[in-house]
Amino acid sequence: METANTNLNVAECCEIGPTSARQRNQEAFEIRQDAAVFQRDLPLPGHPCNGDEDLFPSKIGSYSKGLPHNQLGEVNLNAYRDLIRALSTGNPDDLEFITLGGVTKLVNPQAAYAFDLAGPDSHHLGMIPAPAFSSAQIAGEMAELYWQALTRDVPFADYDTDPLTIAAASDLSDFSDFRGPKVNGMVTTGTLFRGNTPGDLVGPYISQFLWQDIPFGAKTIVQQYRTTVAGDDHLTSYQDWLNIQNGFPPTVPNEFDPTPRYIRSGRDMGEYVHRDFPYQEGLGACLILLGFGQSALDPSNPYLRSLTQVGFATFGGPHILDFVARAARTALEAAWFQKWLVHRRLRPEEFGGRVQNLLTGAASYPINQELLDSQAVSEVFGKFGTYLLPQAYPEGCPTHPAYPAGHACFAGAGVTMLKAFFNESFVVPNPVAASSDGLSLVPFQGPPLTVGGELNKLAANVAFGRDYAGIHWRSDGIEGLKLGEAVAIGVLQDYRNTYNEDFRGFTLTKFDGTRIII
């Protein structure tokens, strides 16, 4: 293999600039080295889990979908031990000998071991433990998921008047440790199924960045999407549920609405995040923001002060678009480490099987009584005839653990990047809302909607859209957003000293409301 000649004769070069080739080579090395040393010297976090895997010998509190199970949906312990052994060694050959229950393969456990060359290493970011199997917190989260399944077809515009959403708000208010947003200690139809970040409770449920037209080069993308028909719910029969746990393919597909629609309900949002690709939402939001012009850029952008230059490869569209995409994969690596090597949290559809077998007397599980006594559980049984969590997707959840949500991680990373480059106080022009049938957009008449608030809302929409589908918990999304945010901040830190411009640093507001400068 030929190698590049690094001993060029300077006389043969036409380069001009402030440094010689050798000086530049050394400076490039030092910048990369400094970034690596900075990441290395950050405090190492602990990686605590909720203890369910050790607490329950039958592994009822742990993720096991895709492995073989008995009639109760409890995992074959030999297969589970093989999985843990393979994850412990990280040996690709060991991972090839995991025993599957059917034909569905596990999703990418080896991503948990990947290294990256920019931003924090996946093992260098920590998370709090997921709520425990028997906790009051998980009871509230499961009740919320039952209600999200029951209200999938209620338009967001009708939340204040629909009997189901009114009942959901009332029922969730009775849980002792439900952590969704509240007003005076109560869940309301205005806070129902929303996030906890600044801006989440202002204006319509859906972010402007999922409704407004996207300028896409020489064309415009109208954000009307394919969705599924009302009542298209799955895995409500026990045998169907058990087959899916064992890794068999679904027998019934989704039924699609022939008319594309603006996102106007939980079902629409759930189907959107069924078909999207990582950083799709960040890409769309970035293109919309760039279309707003220079006034939407963050005031720290150095080219806002220049009399002779504009940004492009640095501090312009290519720079921002690249960072949104760049952070997404790094965020997924961080998520996959936590999913497979730390938490292995069970999915809501698995928990629904535990509720079913407990309430039908087939098994005894320590599920918090608040959930069992809730209106949510009785409403689901009254409609579907089982206590299983109705799924929006025929295949149910993906075959990787729940905590944190991958969608939340890449959405949190992308939104954080956009907040670093754009003016969070900029008011979104011409705000809109979808009609109840999703066929049109109407002007939104209400308080000003800021870029920062709508970006936070976008991240929550993406995270909780997966909850509407029945495949993630609220805490998967909330903590996943924080993990994605940490990844993006780490990437920005690594690149902070790579610019020639007179740059004062990235300024942004974190999801917890803290204002930081990088």
Side-chain angles (χ1 to χ4, degrees):
M1 177 178 173
E2 293 185 3
T3 58
N5 179 8
T6 57
N7 298 309
L8 294 176
N9 187 333
V10 175
E12 297 175 355
C13 296
C14 299
E15 174 186 359
I16 63 172
T19 60
S20 69
R22 288 186 179 84
Q23 287 173 321
R24 174 73 185 192
N25 192 40
Q26 181 63 26
E27 287 181 16
F29 169 76
E30 290 174 357
I31 285 174
R32 294 184 182 193
Q33 184 180 54
D34 289 347
V37 169
F38 171 80
Q39 293 291 348
R40 183 198 65 187
D41 290 346
L42 291 173
L44 290 172
H47 294 298
C49 62
N50 63 18
D52 282 343
E53 189 171 62
D54 293 332
L55 180 62
F56 301 114
S58 61
K59 310 306 176 187
I60 59 168
S62 301
Y63 172 84
S64 62
K65 183 175 177 176
L67 304 182
H69 298 78
N70 63 18
Q71 191 60 30
L72 292 174
E74 296 176 357
V75 69
N76 178 289
L77 293 179
N78 288 329
Y80 194 83
R81 280 192 288 268
D82 287 344
L83 171 66
I84 297 302
R85 186 181 306 112
L87 292 173
S88 297
T89 68
N91 188 320
D93 291 336
D94 292 342
L95 289 159
E96 289 300 315
F97 283 96
I98 296 170
T99 302
L100 300 180
V103 299
T104 305
K105 301 177 182 180
L106 302 178
V107 177
N108 200 198
Q110 292 193 67
Y113 311 101
F115 291 94
D116 218 315
L117 297 179
D121 181 65
S122 61
H123 293 47
H124 206 158
L125 296 171
M127 295 183 68
I128 63 173
F133 181 88
S134 302
S135 66
Q137 184 179 351
I138 207 172
E141 291 192 10
M142 189 65 183
E144 181 179 43
L145 288 166
Y146 278 130
W147 281 116
Q148 285 180 288
L150 289 163
T151 60
R152 276 185 192 129
D153 296 313
V154 178
F156 297 122
D158 298 343
Y159 266 31
D160 289 342
T161 57
D162 191 277
L164 276 175
T165 46
I166 293 171
S170 176
D171 189 37
L172 292 173
S173 294
D174 291 337
F175 281 81
S176 63
D177 197 18
F178 178 66
R179 302 192 183 185
K182 301 175 183 178
V183 175
N184 297 324
M186 302 293 288
V187 179
T188 71
T189 54
T191 68
L192 191 64
F193 311 142
R194 295 207 184 204
N196 303 70
T197 63
D200 268 324
L201 301 183
V202 181
Y205 185 93
I206 294 294
S207 170
Q208 294 297 300
F209 297 114
L210 289 174
W211 274 337
Q212 296 206 7
D213 291 351
I214 301 173
F216 198 79
K219 74 175 276 127
T220 297
I221 295 177
V222 176
Q223 294 204 69
Q224 289 181 309
Y225 297 102
R226 185 176 72 164
T227 187
T228 50
V229 299
D232 184 35
D233 299 315
H234 301 269
L235 305 193
T236 57
S237 122
Y238 189 80
Q239 192 57 52
D240 286 346
W241 174 84
L242 186 60
N243 288 342
I244 292 295
Q245 303 318 299
N246 281 320
F248 292 105
T251 57
V252 178
N254 277 124
E255 183 179 353
F256 292 102
D257 185 337
T259 304
R261 299 177 191 271
Y262 293 103
I263 298 171
R264 88 308 191 173
S265 67
R267 186 175 300 282
D268 296 349
M269 193 65 236
E271 183 57 20
Y272 173 90
V273 293
H274 193 195
R275 311 290 172 177
D276 65 335
F277 56 83
Y279 80 87
Q280 178 175 328
E281 300 79 21
L283 171 61
C286 186
L287 294 172
I288 291 171
L289 286 165
L290 289 170
F292 291 159
Q294 283 200 342
S295 57
L297 292 173
D298 190 89
S300 67
N301 188 302
Y303 289 101
L304 295 180
R305 303 185 299 274
S306 175
L307 300 178
T308 61
Q309 307 162 75
V310 295
F312 189 64
T314 55
F315 300 98
H319 187 179
I320 309 170
L321 289 163
D322 171 63
F323 270 31
V324 169
R326 184 179 297 259
R329 192 182 80 94
T330 309
L332 287 173
E333 289 171 347
W336 255 243
F337 162 65
Q338 296 288 341
K339 282 174 178 287
W340 284 111
L341 300 188
V342 182
H343 302 286
R344 293 178 293 282
R345 185 188 193 183
L346 83 169
R347 292 278 184 161
E349 77 180 58
E350 296 175 296
F351 194 96
R354 313 291 184 244
V355 176
Q356 167 73 11
N357 284 318
L358 172 63
L359 291 180
T360 58
S364 178
Y365 299 130
I367 294 173
N368 189 282
Q369 194 66 35
E370 289 184 17
L371 174 65
L372 306 179
D373 293 340
S374 70
Q375 184 180 348
V377 168
S378 60
E379 290 278 350
V380 164
F381 184 80
K383 182 174 182 179
F384 296 100
T386 67
Y387 299 102
L388 299 168
L389 178 62
Q391 300 288 302
Y393 311 152
E395 74 279 11
C397 71
T399 45
H400 52 83
Y403 188 74
H407 269 71
C409 286
F410 68 66
V415 159
T416 300
M417 284 297 186
L418 293 173
K419 288 192 285 188
F421 282 97
F422 291 99
N423 183 354
E424 294 179 63
S425 299
F426 183 83
V427 175
V428 176
N430 305 313
V432 293
S435 59
S436 292
D437 60 9
L439 295 179
S440 62
L441 296 175
V442 297
F444 169 67
Q445 305 293 334
L449 304 178
T450 65
V451 164
E454 290 302 291
L455 286 174
N456 286 339
K457 191 186 295 180
L458 174 65
N461 288 163
V462 174
F464 297 146
R466 301 287 274 181
D467 298 7
Y468 271 111
I471 69 172
H472 268 299
W473 307 91
R474 168 175 280 271
S475 49
D476 295 344
I478 293 295
E479 299 305 321
L481 292 178
K482 295 177 186 176
L483 184 62
E485 178 182 71
V487 166
I489 290 171
V491 173
L492 291 169
Q493 287 170 329
D494 275 3
Y495 278 91
R496 171 64 184 85
N497 294 321
T498 64
Y499 310 117
N500 186 69
E501 290 87 350
D502 181 13
F503 177 52
R504 301 167 188 172
F506 297 103
T507 303
L508 62 94
T509 308
K510 295 177 64 176
F511 290 125
D512 65 4
T514 305
R515 190 82 170 157
I516 64 169
I517 299 176
I518 302 168

